[in-house]
Amino acid sequence: MTAAARQARQSDLGLWPKDQTQNGAKVEGMTALTDTAVLLPKLFRRLAGYLQLNDGDPSLAGFRVYLAQREDRLFILSTGQWTGFDTVVEVTNGNTVRLTHTPEDLVFDEK
């Protein structure tokens, strides 16, 4: 599956041309998340949950702390490291979120 995902990404097939998971999605609220952002589903779900808890405040200032508290574990294939989801998520400019690794480099430990 990893090889197929890499090939699709390199060939700009399927959803890859619109995917913002690594380039960064500007999230200015739930509408921006649901109507314009194309993201890794787990990142999308965590952002949606965080925005709901923030009661309409679009600031992502506490998003990584929120992720750390959720304790989503994953394995980074390229480094051979077990870590938390919060360590591969980056927030810049207050409301732009992205992954620091490609989705196909991550294996999530689902509970």
Side-chain angles (χ1 to χ4, degrees):
M1 257 174 92
T2 300
R6 280 194 186 119
Q7 184 177 4
R9 179 193 295 272
Q10 291 167 351
S11 301
D12 275 340
L13 298 174
L15 63 87
W16 292 113
K18 295 180 182 177
D19 181 69
Q20 299 170 300
T21 301
Q22 277 202 279
N23 295 332
K26 191 171 188 173
V27 179
E28 295 177 319
M30 191 64 79
T31 301
L33 178 62
T34 59
D35 293 354
T36 61
V38 177
L39 296 167
L40 177 78
K42 183 175 267 315
L43 181 57
F44 176 91
R45 290 191 307 273
R46 294 301 178 254
L47 281 164
Y50 176 78
L51 290 172
Q52 284 181 328
L53 286 175
N54 265 3
D55 198 29
D57 180 358
S59 170
L60 297 181
F63 184 57
R64 290 190 65 215
V65 172
Y66 167 78
L67 290 177
Q69 291 172 347
R70 294 210 37 110
E71 297 183 359
D72 290 318
R73 302 290 296 164
L74 59 88
F75 185 75
I76 304 173
L77 293 170
S78 63
T79 63
Q81 175 188 12
W82 280 102
T83 189
F85 192 31
D86 60 300
T87 66
V88 297
V89 173
E90 179 179 83
V91 176
T92 58
N93 301 323
N95 63 357
T96 301
V97 63
R98 73 180 202 93
L99 288 187
T100 58
H101 291 265
T102 62
E104 58 268 22
D105 192 29
L106 307 176
V107 177
F108 289 90
D109 181 18
E110 296 299 330
K111 298 174 188 172

